[in-house]
Amino acid sequence: IYVGNLSFKASEDEIRALFSAHGNVHSVKLVMDRETGRPRGFAFVEMDQADAESAIRDLDGKDFVGRPLRVNMAQERERSAGPRGPKRY
């Protein structure tokens, strides 16, 4: 599950507690900026399919730590050269 628009004050434990009301949370990964070490405002939560669907339905748009969450099924990112161009060695 992709969880966006997170407050920079939100912790992995708070996110786990929020989602655990909908079922067993296998993992929570709060994405941090490599340069600053600060949260980037989004996370990924792993749950069983039925629990994930319930969580998405109930939590999308819900206020959490002062911000409306964006919650949806995470999409696998396509690998490409991206804006930085191909890697050079």
Side-chain angles (χ1 to χ4, degrees):
I1 302 171
Y2 168 83
V3 185
N5 202 34
L6 282 170
S7 165
F8 297 119
K9 297 176 184 175
S11 71
E12 284 187 8
D13 288 339
E14 291 171 319
I15 296 165
R16 180 180 298 278
L18 178 68
F19 279 80
S20 67
H22 298 278
N24 185 34
V25 175
H26 300 292
S27 70
V28 175
K29 173 67 175 146
L30 185 59
V31 179
M32 308 298 267
D33 186 279
R34 287 184 221 168
E35 310 258 329
T36 65
R38 295 184 195 155
R40 292 190 56 200
F42 65 97
F44 295 97
V45 176
E46 289 185 26
M47 304 176 76
D48 292 331
Q49 184 72 29
D51 296 339
E53 290 170 2
S54 171
I56 291 167
R57 240 187 345 269
D58 292 347
L59 298 177
D60 188 42
K62 179 181 172 105
D63 184 78
F64 180 67
V65 192
R67 299 181 72 149
L69 294 178
R70 272 183 264 145
V71 182
N72 54 52
M73 221 27 109
Q75 303 295 314
E76 187 138 352
R77 197 171 170 189
E78 285 187 35
R79 298 285 177 194
S80 67
R84 297 181 189 152
K87 284 192 173 197
R88 296 171 198 239
Y89 297 95

